């Protein structure tokens, strides 16, 4: 029974790491289009856009510096990865809705959700990749 559970865990880890592209591609696109969205939909200037990017960094620091340990201990790597991917998807929907509903509060909610859940999913995916290789390969996988 234990072997079946381990095989199932390994398959789930593989599927989650395969889904990394579902996170990585939109993130890279969002980084280039978010300022255009802020300028065109909300009328933000460069200073305001810079403050939004600063908020992303602050939330990222808070999550990675303070909260990630608790989340990993409480939820585990796999559950955290799944929940974080769902939250990232929701953040994309919130941020995308700004094109139709030019409400700055949506930007604030979307950015906080995006930055927080993005930090969580990145850590979970790195942990899963590290778990999938032997101990001697973990440093190489981590970069």
């Amino acid at each position: 029974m234990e072997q079946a559970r381990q095989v199932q865990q390994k398959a789930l880890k593989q599927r989650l790491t395969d889904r990394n592209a579902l996170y990585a591609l939109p993130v890279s696109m969002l980084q280039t289009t978010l300022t255009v969205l802020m300028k065109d939909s909300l009328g933000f200037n460069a200073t305001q856009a810079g403050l939004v990017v600063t908020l992303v960094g602050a939330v990222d620091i808070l999550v990675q510096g303070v909260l990630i340990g608790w989340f990993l201990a409480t939820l585990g790597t796999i559950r955290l990865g799944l929940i974080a991917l769902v939250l990232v998807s929701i953040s994309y929907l919130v941020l995308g809705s700004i094109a139709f509903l030019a409400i700055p509060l949506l930007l604030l909610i979307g950015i906080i959700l995006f930055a927080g859940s993005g930090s969580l999913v990145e850590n979970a995916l790195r942990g899963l990749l590290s778990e999938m290789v032997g101990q001697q390969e973990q440093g190489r996988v981590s970069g």
Side-chain angles (χ1 to χ4, degrees), residues 72-92:
L72 282 171
T74 304
L75 299 172
T77 309
I78 294 173
R79 190 175 303 155
L80 179 61
L82 291 170
I83 291 170
L85 280 173
V86 169
L87 291 174
V88 166
S89 300
I90 293 169
S91 75
Y92 291 153

Side-chain angles (χ1 to χ4, degrees), residues 2 14 23 25 27-28 37 41 51 55 60 79-80 89 93 96 101 110 112 114 124 129 131-132 139 143:
E2 179 64 25
Q14 182 64 47
Y23 170 72
L25 183 63
V27 164
S28 61
L37 179 69
S41 295
L51 290 172
L55 177 63
D60 198 33
R79 190 175 303 155
L80 179 61
S89 300
L93 293 172
L101 304 168
I112 291 172
F114 167 74
L129 282 173
E131 290 174 11
M132 291 177 66

Side-chain angles (χ1 to χ4, degrees), residues 34-36 38-39 44-58 107 111:
L34 184 61
T35 52
V36 174
M38 288 187 285
K39 179 183 174 291
F44 277 27
N45 60 31
T47 302
Q48 293 165 318
L51 290 172
V52 170
V53 173
T54 301
L55 177 63
V56 170
L107 177 67
I111 287 295

Side-chain angles (χ1 to χ4, degrees), residues 8 16 21 24 31 34 36 40 62 94 125:
Q8 207 172 25
L16 273 174
Q31 291 173 349
L34 184 61
V36 174
D40 290 349
L62 174 68
V94 172
L125 288 172

